[in-house]
Coordinates of all heavy atoms in Angstrom, one line a residue:
M72 N -49.3 -63.3 -107.1 CA -49.5 -63.1 -108.5 C -51.0 -62.6 -108.7 O -51.9 -63.0 -108.0 CB -49.3 -64.4 -109.2 CG -47.9 -64.9 -109.1 SD -46.7 -63.9 -110.1 CE -45.2 -64.8 -109.9
D86 N -51.5 -50.8 -121.3 CA -51.9 -49.5 -122.0 C -51.6 -48.3 -121.1 O -52.0 -47.2 -121.6 CB -53.4 -49.6 -122.3 CG -53.7 -50.6 -123.4 OD1 -52.8 -51.0 -124.1 OD2 -54.9 -51.0 -123.5
L93 N -56.0 -47.9 -110.4 CA -56.1 -47.4 -109.0 C -57.5 -47.4 -108.5 O -57.8 -47.8 -107.4 CB -55.5 -46.0 -108.9 CG -55.6 -45.4 -107.5 CD1 -54.8 -46.2 -106.5 CD2 -55.2 -43.9 -107.5
A111 N -58.4 -59.5 -94.5 CA -58.8 -60.2 -95.7 C -58.7 -59.3 -96.9 O -58.3 -59.7 -98.0 CB -60.1 -60.8 -95.6
G154 N -44.1 -58.8 -100.6 CA -43.5 -58.0 -99.5 C -44.4 -56.7 -99.4 O -45.4 -56.6 -100.1
T162 N -38.3 -49.4 -103.8 CA -37.3 -50.0 -104.6 C -37.3 -49.4 -106.0 O -36.4 -49.6 -106.8 CB -37.3 -51.5 -104.7 OG1 -38.6 -51.9 -105.3 CG2 -37.3 -52.1 -103.3
W166 N -35.7 -41.1 -103.5 CA -36.4 -40.3 -102.5 C -36.8 -38.9 -103.1 O -37.9 -38.4 -102.8 CB -35.5 -40.1 -101.3 CG -36.2 -39.3 -100.2 CD1 -35.8 -38.0 -99.9 CD2 -37.3 -39.6 -99.4 NE1 -36.7 -37.5 -98.9 CE2 -37.6 -38.5 -98.6 CE3 -38.1 -40.8 -99.3 CZ2 -38.6 -38.5 -97.6 CZ3 -39.1 -40.8 -98.3 CH2 -39.3 -39.7 -97.5
A214 N -20.8 -52.0 -94.8 CA -19.6 -52.8 -95.1 C -19.9 -54.3 -95.4 O -19.1 -55.0 -96.1 CB -18.6 -52.7 -94.0
L236 N -31.7 -65.9 -95.1 CA -31.2 -65.5 -93.8 C -30.3 -66.7 -93.2 O -30.9 -67.7 -92.8 CB -32.4 -65.3 -92.8 CG -32.0 -65.1 -91.3 CD1 -31.0 -63.9 -91.1 CD2 -33.3 -64.8 -90.5
R259 N -27.8 -57.9 -66.7 CA -27.9 -56.6 -66.1 C -29.3 -56.1 -66.0 O -30.2 -56.7 -66.7 CB -27.0 -55.6 -66.8 CG -27.6 -55.1 -68.2 CD -26.5 -54.3 -68.9 NE -27.2 -53.5 -70.0 CZ -26.5 -52.9 -71.0 NH1 -25.2 -53.0 -71.0 NH2 -27.2 -52.2 -71.9
A292 N -23.4 -68.2 -76.1 CA -23.7 -69.3 -77.1 C -23.9 -70.6 -76.4 O -24.8 -71.4 -76.7 CB -22.6 -69.4 -78.1
P313 N -26.1 -57.7 -91.6 CA -27.1 -58.0 -92.6 C -28.1 -59.1 -92.2 O -29.3 -59.0 -92.4 CB -26.2 -58.5 -93.8 CG -24.9 -57.8 -93.6 CD -24.7 -57.8 -92.1
V321 N -37.9 -61.9 -93.2 CA -38.1 -63.3 -93.6 C -39.6 -63.6 -94.0 O -39.9 -64.3 -94.9 CB -37.7 -64.3 -92.4 CG1 -38.1 -65.7 -92.7 CG2 -36.2 -64.2 -92.3
A328 N -36.6 -52.2 -93.8 CA -36.5 -51.0 -93.0 C -37.0 -51.3 -91.5 O -36.4 -50.7 -90.6 CB -37.4 -50.0 -93.6
V344 N -28.7 -46.4 -73.6 CA -29.3 -45.2 -73.9 C -30.8 -45.4 -74.2 O -31.2 -46.5 -74.6 CB -28.7 -44.4 -75.1 CG1 -27.3 -44.0 -74.6 CG2 -28.6 -45.2 -76.3
D354 N -28.9 -42.8 -79.6 CA -27.7 -41.9 -79.7 C -26.7 -42.4 -80.6 O -26.1 -43.5 -80.4 CB -27.1 -41.7 -78.3 CG -26.0 -40.7 -78.2 OD1 -25.1 -40.8 -79.0 OD2 -26.0 -39.8 -77.3
V358 N -24.1 -45.6 -80.1 CA -24.3 -46.9 -80.9 C -23.0 -47.1 -81.7 O -22.5 -48.3 -81.7 CB -25.5 -46.8 -81.8 CG1 -25.5 -47.9 -82.8 CG2 -26.8 -46.8 -81.0
E385 N -21.4 -59.5 -77.7 CA -20.8 -59.2 -76.4 C -20.4 -57.7 -76.3 O -19.7 -57.2 -77.2 CB -19.7 -60.1 -76.1 CG -18.9 -59.8 -74.9 CD -17.5 -60.4 -74.9 OE1 -17.3 -61.4 -75.6 OE2 -16.6 -60.0 -74.2

Side-chain angles (χ1 to χ4, degrees):
M72 297 289 184
D86 290 342
L93 179 64
T162 64
W166 179 252
L236 170 57
R259 71 186 198 196
V321 172
V344 295
D354 184 308
V358 168
E385 173 196 341

